[in-house]
Amino acid sequence: MAMTDARTVKIIPLHHPSGTSSSSVSCSRPSALFSRWLTKMKRMSLAQCIETFLPCFRWIRTYKWREHFQVDLMAGSTIGIMLVPQAMSYAKLAGLQPIYGLYSGFVPVFVYAIFGSSRQLATGPVALVSLLVSNVLGGIVDSSDELYTELAILLALMVGILECIMGLLRLGWLIRFISHSVISGFTTSSAIVIALSQAKHFLGYDVVRSSKIVPLAKSIISGVDKFSWPPFVMGSSILAVLLFIKHLGKSRKQFGFLRAAGPLTAVILGTTFVKIFHPSSISLVGEIPQGLPRFSIPKGFGYAKSLIPTAMLITGVAILESVGIAKALAAKNGYELDSSQELLGLGLANIFGSFFSAYPATGSFSRSAVSNESGAKTGLSGIITGIIMGCALLFLTPLFEYIPLCSLAAIVISAVMGLVDYEEAFFLWRVDKKDFLLWTITSATTLFLGIEIGVLVGVGASIAFVISESANPHTAVLGRLPGTTVYRNIQQYPEAYTYNGIVMVRIDAPIYFANISYIKDSCYLHRLQCCSSVERLASGV
């Protein structure tokens, strides 16, 4: 029957909360985001606004001088003493002069103490980032060229910008797709490559610069006729002392302070030996410029395009190292950590550091662990570390020229030996064969094909595993537990009973276009299995 009269439809215009009519031009997405942010800022108090831009204000306004200052002073001094020789060692690993390691442990430390949200994280140059810098820049220009240093400083600026962008866009969650087995395999192989790259200071002859184990091994073997005993004996002795000190500091709590004293002990022993015996066959650090770094704009922007992949890689490594250990230390010390603010703090530290001749810096596993064990309570410990680095630059650089290079190499090898995580491989073999496969793939490709390819293959394999698990979800046939209304997986609960002609299936994943086909096939298979079991029961009756 046709409608004789049409209903009147009342149209209610949609008004914007600000009072503008719906006919007004809608705001663009960036403007909407800015308006939302501005509204959020208006709701905050003055103290909350300051804390948003300056996280250091959170501990400054509640600082307890009697309780915190003594432990912060002790922790900051300990890390400062540890960082001075480590910074020079890592700079040599990066192919730079030792002074640039000291610069990287000076300005970035101060900036992070102000803008970073972790109170125990120790920033500065680290071994893995130093190797990445050396690997990429060595393929562009010779390390003796001034351009090499300029590109390392430019790399710090690019890494800082990427970290700030990720922090502002809150993209730290992307790292969740990289499994722990990939990280473990990558760091294990990188540690082996780093240790072999330092062999030249022990053996007394040059070794090819590479991030692959085969060229390194060939270079070491081919130059064996140039082997020199004095640096080998001295470097091995200092390495043995470092390992003994580290073991003693870990195994005995009363000797915990020795962990930080290890690098300083290596430097003192090596320098004392050189000053007394003056061996001609042992290479020394040489003259180091005295004074604080000067402000300068990074150069070499013509090479920025070729440095983008490495800057992204270093940013990823920084997130994995820094944010991971910062979160663990925050949970251990009972305060919350904002990952986005952490990325912003690291980014600003690298950006400001690049204006004062620093190469990329990030959080250190070993120094952060020592900082936490030393009782650091606030970012003041980082400021004290920066003051010690400044004093070293102003007054101690004339003493550093007599440090043997084999002593610095021993410090690097001692530091990276803790990254070799072969126990993780045995654990994964027993627990999860897929994660063991990921560990093996990442470790092997990093060792034989290089760090960049190793990271890409490891991350790609990790994401492929995630996609595979999502596209092929686990499904379970459910049965009712006797005397209840509870349904459970019949494989886990054999006593659960099912109904003839009815199959109840639980899909342990969200349903979307990529797994629809698999779920259909899985449900059909379960139905066939149920029908065949019913037929077998009927024939048995």
Side-chain angles (χ1 to χ4, degrees):
M1 179 175 161
M3 294 286 295
T4 56
D5 55 342
R7 291 184 180 181
T8 57
V9 179
K10 184 179 180 181
I11 300 175
I12 303 176
L14 179 65
H15 293 281
H16 192 272
S18 60
T20 58
S21 66
S22 60
S23 60
S24 302
V25 179
S26 61
C27 296
S28 62
R29 183 170 178 79
S31 301
L33 289 173
F34 178 76
S35 301
R36 193 184 307 164
W37 177 81
L38 195 61
T39 304
K40 183 179 178 181
M41 293 299 296
K42 287 179 179 178
R43 293 174 182 172
M44 292 183 179
S45 63
L46 179 61
Q48 290 174 328
C49 289
I50 296 175
E51 286 179 1
T52 301
F53 294 102
L54 295 173
C56 62
F57 188 70
R58 297 171 190 169
W59 56 263
I60 288 176
R61 65 190 185 95
T62 58
Y63 196 81
K64 301 175 182 178
W65 287 93
R66 291 184 179 181
E67 297 179 21
H68 295 165
F69 180 72
Q70 186 175 358
V71 289
D72 280 341
L73 179 63
M74 179 63 69
S77 303
T78 301
I79 299 304
I81 293 169
M82 188 178 181
L83 180 57
V84 171
Q86 275 194 347
M88 292 188 289
S89 305
Y90 295 150
K92 292 297 292 182
L93 174 62
L96 300 165
Q97 294 300 315
I99 187 65
Y100 293 100
L102 297 175
Y103 290 161
S104 300
F106 178 55
V107 172
V109 171
F110 279 112
V111 176
Y112 179 81
I114 296 171
F115 294 100
S117 54
S118 176
R119 302 171 190 178
Q120 286 81 29
L121 188 71
T123 55
V126 297
L128 189 53
V129 171
S130 300
L131 179 64
L132 291 171
V133 171
S134 171
N135 186 50
V136 66
L137 298 186
I140 297 175
V141 65
D142 189 77
S143 60
S144 59
D145 198 319
E146 186 179 350
L147 179 61
Y148 187 97
T149 303
E150 293 175 356
L151 293 182
I153 296 170
L154 175 63
L155 201 53
L157 177 63
M158 295 174 65
V159 169
I161 291 173
L162 282 174
E163 288 173 338
C164 284
I165 291 173
M166 290 192 72
L168 291 171
L169 297 179
R170 308 186 72 85
L171 296 178
W173 58 270
L174 291 172
I175 304 301
R176 299 174 193 167
F177 288 97
I178 304 176
S179 71
H180 176 72
S181 53
V182 169
I183 300 168
S184 175
F186 172 68
T187 54
T188 296
S189 296
S190 299
I192 295 172
V193 171
I194 290 170
L196 287 176
S197 69
Q198 296 300 292
K200 60 182 179 182
H201 300 302
F202 276 55
L203 302 175
Y205 57 87
D206 286 335
V207 175
V208 67
R209 178 178 295 165
S210 176
S211 64
K212 305 172 187 177
I213 192 170
V214 174
L216 281 171
K218 284 183 177 179
S219 180
I220 291 172
I221 295 170
S222 62
V224 72
D225 56 325
K226 303 174 186 177
F227 177 75
S228 177
W229 280 103
F232 179 78
V233 173
M234 185 178 184
S236 300
S237 302
I238 292 175
L239 179 59
V241 171
L242 282 171
L243 294 177
F244 174 74
I245 290 174
K246 181 185 286 188
H247 174 73
L248 197 63
K250 284 184 176 180
S251 58
R252 305 285 181 86
K253 288 187 177 181
Q254 62 268 32
F255 297 114
F257 65 93
L258 290 177
R259 289 184 64 186
L264 183 63
T265 303
V267 167
I268 292 173
L269 287 175
T271 305
T272 303
F273 182 85
V274 168
K275 293 288 285 184
I276 295 174
F277 297 102
H278 304 283
S280 59
S281 57
I282 293 180
S283 302
L284 306 180
V285 168
E287 185 178 355
I288 296 179
Q290 189 171 5
L292 301 178
R294 296 182 179 179
F295 178 85
S296 62
I297 304 295
K299 303 174 184 177
F301 283 96
Y303 294 86
K305 187 176 180 180
S306 60
L307 294 178
I308 290 176
T310 304
M312 294 175 67
L313 180 58
I314 293 175
T315 301
V317 170
I319 295 172
L320 293 175
E321 282 200 28
S322 302
V323 178
I325 193 171
K327 279 192 170 184
L329 293 176
K332 195 172 183 178
N333 288 274
Y335 65 91
E336 293 184 2
L337 185 89
D338 186 353
S339 299
S340 299
Q341 183 63 51
E342 189 71 8
L343 286 172
L344 196 61
L346 288 169
L348 291 173
N350 277 306
I351 290 173
F352 280 96
S354 68
F355 294 121
F356 292 91
S357 304
Y359 77 97
T362 187
S364 165
F365 274 117
S366 57
R367 293 195 300 272
S368 298
V370 172
S371 174
N372 183 62
E373 291 171 5
S374 301
K377 296 296 182 184
T378 65
L380 182 62
S381 61
I383 294 175
I384 293 169
T385 299
I387 292 172
I388 291 175
M389 294 298 294
C391 292
L393 286 166
L394 287 171
F395 308 113
L396 301 180
T397 50
L399 301 176
F400 296 156
E401 60 180 290
Y402 298 102
I403 299 175
L405 291 178
C406 58
S407 295
L408 298 182
I411 293 171
V412 173
I413 295 173
S414 171
V416 300
M417 283 183 72
L419 298 177
V420 179
D421 196 7
Y422 60 88
E423 293 179 355
E424 180 73 10
F426 294 126
F427 174 77
L428 292 174
W429 174 258
R430 294 192 305 268
V431 174
D432 192 333
K433 298 297 189 292
K434 286 185 178 180
D435 278 342
F436 174 78
L437 181 61
L438 275 178
W439 190 96
T440 306
I441 290 172
T442 307
S443 180
T445 51
T446 303
L447 269 180
F448 294 100
L449 300 180
I451 289 178
E452 291 88 347
I453 297 178
V455 169
L456 290 175
V457 171
V459 171
S462 183
I463 294 175
F465 271 61
V466 171
I467 294 172
S468 176
E469 292 289 339
S470 176
N472 303 281
H474 176 263
T475 58
V477 177
L478 303 182
R480 183 176 176 180
L481 295 180
T484 69
T485 57
V486 177
Y487 290 82
R488 291 290 183 266
N489 186 347
I490 60 174
Q491 291 185 350
Q492 295 177 343
Y493 296 86
E495 68 274 16
Y497 58 88
T498 58
Y499 300 94
N500 293 339
I502 300 175
V503 182
M504 286 174 286
V505 179
R506 185 187 68 216
I507 301 162
D508 297 331
I511 300 175
Y512 71 113
F513 67 92
N515 60 16
I516 289 175
S517 177
Y518 177 84
I519 291 172
K520 282 181 179 179
D521 294 340
S522 191
C523 290
Y524 181 70
L525 181 63
H526 288 314
R527 179 172 171 270
L528 288 178
Q529 289 174 346
C530 180
C531 291
S532 62
S533 62
V534 170
E535 290 174 0
R536 287 196 299 270
L537 287 171
S539 62
V541 173

